[in-house]
Amino acid sequence: PHPDDEAFGCAGTIAKLKAMGSEVYVIAVSAGDVHHYNVKKYSFVTGQTRQIEFENAMKALDVDDHELIFNDSEVHLKLDDMPLKELISLFEIDCRLAIDKIKPTMIILPAISYNQDHEAVFRAGFTACRPHLPDVKPFQKIVLSCEYPALAWSLEREKFHPNLYIDITDYLDLKLKALACYKSQVRDKIHHCS
């Protein structure tokens, strides 16, 4: 959903896939100016800062291409206000790295959490992955959902129940390098972004 979610969620997997020779494409949906409460150093973060951090993290992970769809404070943290059909269409055909253009074999979505943008991106992304285009030769897709540290704070019915674990021991340093690019988002302990 936002620049940094890929780093918290699956940067180790991204690094491992790249090391195995895979192509990796990352889409962040929105960034914008944000006032953080109870944070001294980064109490106000601009969308431009988030975009620069995203660019740096993508370089650190050596992804093949990446896209930030909306760098707009009018959209950021308001994806749940966008009609679901429009968000689905973005993932299917409208964005530069759309599913129908890239034809990925694996897609990793954020797990549903209490964040409204994460939920909107999961629902739209999952729907966009359905087999539905009879005029296009079908391609196989593995659709996964990745854990995010904030998931511990969820309603019981929305708790993440993983059934696939990927060993990223050899790639943890790259994950930490990508996370370090998001200086405006890292917090002190015990925050889930510490």
Side-chain angles (χ1 to χ4, degrees):
H2 314 112
D4 81 358
D5 292 327
E6 83 294 332
F8 280 111
C10 60
T13 300
I14 289 171
K16 185 171 189 169
L17 290 168
K18 286 298 298 176
M20 295 171 66
S22 298
E23 292 179 14
V24 176
Y25 302 90
V26 177
I27 297 173
V29 183
S30 78
D33 298 348
V34 176
H35 291 274
H36 291 196
Y37 68 93
N38 202 21
V39 177
K40 292 181 179 144
K41 187 172 182 182
Y42 291 103
S43 62
F44 177 73
V45 180
T46 66
Q48 182 64 26
T49 296
R50 297 296 301 278
Q51 184 164 354
I52 291 167
E53 291 174 339
F54 182 53
E55 298 285 333
N56 291 335
M58 296 302 92
K59 285 178 191 164
L61 292 170
D62 192 31
V63 301
D64 292 276
D65 202 356
H66 61 282
E67 178 175 5
L68 174 58
I69 298 175
F70 299 110
N71 193 349
D72 181 350
S73 296
E74 295 301 314
V75 175
H76 187 59
L77 298 176
K78 299 173 189 163
L79 293 175
D80 57 327
D81 286 344
M82 181 179 286
L84 189 58
K85 183 177 180 180
E86 287 179 28
L87 200 49
I88 293 167
S89 187
L90 275 173
F91 295 130
E92 288 176 335
I93 57 175
D94 292 342
C95 75
R96 189 170 50 79
L97 299 177
I99 292 169
D100 294 346
K101 295 172 187 167
I102 301 292
K103 299 197 180 340
T105 54
M106 180 189 306
I107 295 174
I108 303 176
L109 299 167
I112 291 177
S113 73
Y114 60 84
N115 183 290
Q116 66 278 5
D117 281 3
H118 288 227
E119 183 168 346
V121 168
F122 173 82
R123 294 197 186 286
F126 191 74
T127 301
C129 290
R130 72 200 182 284
H132 65 288
L133 299 171
D135 58 331
V136 176
K137 183 179 177 188
F139 56 96
Q140 296 297 318
K141 289 184 286 249
I142 297 169
V143 181
L144 303 175
S145 188
C146 62
E147 185 177 19
Y148 183 80
L151 291 175
W153 185 262
S154 293
L155 297 172
E156 188 57 38
R157 72 177 187 277
E158 295 173 347
K159 291 266 192 238
F160 186 62
H161 300 285
N163 59 10
L164 173 67
Y165 297 87
I166 298 172
D167 182 0
I168 63 164
T169 303
D170 295 338
Y171 306 94
L172 187 56
D173 59 330
L174 284 170
K175 179 180 178 96
L176 294 174
K177 184 177 178 181
L179 282 167
C181 294
Y182 293 107
K183 291 179 180 26
S184 72
Q185 302 306 303
V186 176
R187 302 286 177 262
D188 294 329
K189 295 177 182 177
I190 66 166
H191 194 278
H192 62 267
C193 293
S194 67

